[in-house]
PDB file of all heavy atoms in Angstrom:
ATOM      1  N   ALA A 781     -34.983 -55.706   2.767  1.00 98.00           N
ATOM      2  CA  ALA A 781     -34.625 -56.602   3.825  1.00 98.00           C
ATOM      3  C   ALA A 781     -33.740 -57.694   3.359  1.00 98.00           C
ATOM      4  O   ALA A 781     -32.730 -58.098   4.094  1.00 98.00           O
ATOM      5  CB  ALA A 781     -35.846 -57.115   4.550  1.00 98.00           C
ATOM      6  N   PRO A 856     -39.719 -51.410 -26.698  1.00 98.00           N
ATOM      7  CA  PRO A 856     -40.805 -51.160 -27.553  1.00 98.00           C
ATOM      8  C   PRO A 856     -42.158 -51.651 -26.985  1.00 98.00           C
ATOM      9  O   PRO A 856     -43.186 -51.225 -27.471  1.00 98.00           O
ATOM     10  CB  PRO A 856     -40.398 -51.853 -28.879  1.00 98.00           C
ATOM     11  CG  PRO A 856     -39.276 -52.682 -28.566  1.00 98.00           C
ATOM     12  CD  PRO A 856     -38.635 -52.241 -27.280  1.00 98.00           C
ATOM     13  N   ASP A 868     -24.974 -42.844 -18.538  1.00 98.00           N
ATOM     14  CA  ASP A 868     -23.879 -43.726 -18.094  1.00 98.00           C
ATOM     15  C   ASP A 868     -23.695 -43.667 -16.571  1.00 98.00           C
ATOM     16  O   ASP A 868     -22.810 -43.041 -16.016  1.00 98.00           O
ATOM     17  CB  ASP A 868     -22.512 -43.321 -18.775  1.00 98.00           C
ATOM     18  CG  ASP A 868     -21.545 -44.517 -18.692  1.00 98.00           C
ATOM     19  OD1 ASP A 868     -21.736 -45.345 -17.851  1.00 98.00           O
ATOM     20  OD2 ASP A 868     -20.544 -44.482 -19.509  1.00 98.00           O
ATOM     21  N   VAL A 869     -24.593 -44.404 -15.993  1.00 98.00           N
ATOM     22  CA  VAL A 869     -24.640 -44.369 -14.519  1.00 98.00           C
ATOM     23  C   VAL A 869     -23.432 -45.073 -13.885  1.00 98.00           C
ATOM     24  O   VAL A 869     -23.051 -44.755 -12.780  1.00 98.00           O
ATOM     25  CB  VAL A 869     -25.983 -45.043 -14.021  1.00 98.00           C
ATOM     26  CG1 VAL A 869     -27.212 -44.122 -14.395  1.00 98.00           C
ATOM     27  CG2 VAL A 869     -26.216 -46.481 -14.551  1.00 98.00           C
ATOM     28  N   ALA A 917     -18.573 -29.918  -3.135  1.00 98.00           N
ATOM     29  CA  ALA A 917     -19.864 -29.454  -3.705  1.00 98.00           C
ATOM     30  C   ALA A 917     -20.239 -28.117  -3.109  1.00 98.00           C
ATOM     31  O   ALA A 917     -19.951 -27.768  -1.982  1.00 98.00           O
ATOM     32  CB  ALA A 917     -20.949 -30.462  -3.295  1.00 98.00           C
ATOM     33  N   MET A 970     -67.744 -61.877  -9.650  1.00 96.00           N
ATOM     34  CA  MET A 970     -66.742 -60.808  -9.593  1.00 96.00           C
ATOM     35  C   MET A 970     -66.732 -60.077  -8.281  1.00 96.00           C
ATOM     36  O   MET A 970     -65.616 -59.789  -7.712  1.00 96.00           O
ATOM     37  CB  MET A 970     -67.038 -59.848 -10.695  1.00 96.00           C
ATOM     38  CG  MET A 970     -66.719 -60.206 -12.097  1.00 96.00           C
ATOM     39  SD  MET A 970     -67.141 -58.872 -13.310  1.00 96.00           S
ATOM     40  CE  MET A 970     -66.703 -59.744 -14.795  1.00 96.00           C
ATOM     41  N   ALA A1051     -44.771 -41.498   5.323  1.00 96.00           N
ATOM     42  CA  ALA A1051     -43.426 -42.025   5.094  1.00 96.00           C
ATOM     43  C   ALA A1051     -42.863 -41.605   3.774  1.00 96.00           C
ATOM     44  O   ALA A1051     -41.690 -41.510   3.629  1.00 96.00           O
ATOM     45  CB  ALA A1051     -43.586 -43.608   5.094  1.00 96.00           C
ATOM     46  N   LEU A1076     -30.420 -46.704  14.062  1.00 98.00           N
ATOM     47  CA  LEU A1076     -31.160 -47.116  12.943  1.00 98.00           C
ATOM     48  C   LEU A1076     -30.791 -46.221  11.742  1.00 98.00           C
ATOM     49  O   LEU A1076     -30.500 -45.025  11.861  1.00 98.00           O
ATOM     50  CB  LEU A1076     -32.704 -46.949  13.188  1.00 98.00           C
ATOM     51  CG  LEU A1076     -33.243 -47.905  14.307  1.00 98.00           C
ATOM     52  CD1 LEU A1076     -34.648 -47.494  14.686  1.00 98.00           C
ATOM     53  CD2 LEU A1076     -33.259 -49.416  13.768  1.00 98.00           C
TER      54      LEU A1076
END
Side-chain angles (χ1 to χ4, degrees):
D868 198 343
V869 292
M970 283 181 183
L1076 293 168

